[in-house]
Amino acid sequence: MTLHARTLRLGVNIDHVATVRNARGGAHPDPLAAAQAALAAGADGITLHLREDRRHIRDDDVARIRAAITAPINLEMAATAEMLRIARDTTPHAACLVPERRAEVTTEGGLDVAGQREALRPVVAALAAAGIRVSLFIDPDTPQLEAAAAIGAPVVELHTGAYAHGGPGELDRLARAAERGASLGLECHAGHGLTHDNVGPVAALPQVVELNIGHFLIGQAILEGLPAAVRRMKALMQAARPPG
Ligand code: PXP
């Protein structure tokens, strides 16, 4: 019998609240207000991606949200000197290192940890030394998992994009990666492209303890409101977990 980790946390990614705000250049809707609404509806933490081009979340959003909420904040960031400085200054609970290409619409693939071990190792060490829990956003493959463990990352976030696009065999690939990650001592998170319709099988993976979900929830907020969308997501996640 496989034991499930007891809790499964939901991190709500609020980037696209900032996307809508920035479309008009004003202050509404405020990502901080959205973060507070998501937490009040049952989110366990807030995730935000400070991209190098600042296309959605901006530096002042990170600072305001860090100052105003006590729930865990997960800062997604590229492994650059600038982002490392900002992470050390704002000390989020967690930082998730992601690949970043300026032309991409969203984070398209996982970080190539296996190919960039020596560049990533000091970034992981510096974040850990600042008391920030580091995760690496990777494709769900053994070489990436082994490289993540080898450079001392305590957490990996498995990229669920290919699963969300309906790729055949992708759920099995995620399941094998979660198992392998746990056997390497890595805490396993997952995210990208998750919706009310596809979250169940990922939430059921026993080694996965956190899901980070953004675009769908913010889109759904237009249709049913953010609190309702978050509550439904949490309920679906919990329903996928065996009791006990
Ligand atoms: N996790 C990571 C590391 C991401 O980069 C993103 C997208 O910003 C997400 C989760 C959330 O993906 P989505 O917005 O598709 O739910």
Side-chain angles (χ1 to χ4, degrees), residues 136-169:
L136 303 178
F137 187 47
I138 58 169
D139 289 333
D141 296 320
T142 297
Q144 301 299 345
L145 289 157
E146 289 177 346
I151 65 168
V155 182
V156 287
E157 180 164 326
L158 302 175
H159 197 312
T160 52
Y163 159 77
H165 282 117

Side-chain angles (χ1 to χ4, degrees), residues 106-120:
T106 181
T107 313
E108 282 162 8
L111 196 60
D112 181 15
V113 186
Q116 300 175 56
R117 285 175 192 234
E118 296 323 312
L120 292 169

Side-chain angles (χ1 to χ4, degrees), residues 10 41 78 82 84 99 102 104 121 125 204 215 218:
L10 170 61
E82 183 200 20
L84 183 55
R102 276 176 200 255
E104 71 190 357
R121 193 190 297 272
H215 185 266
I218 303 309

Side-chain angles (χ1 to χ4, degrees), residues 208-228:
V208 171
V209 299
E210 180 175 311
L211 301 180
N212 285 298
I213 307 180
H215 185 266
F216 172 80
L217 287 173
I218 303 309
Q220 197 64 13
I222 295 168
L223 302 172
E224 62 173 323
L226 185 59

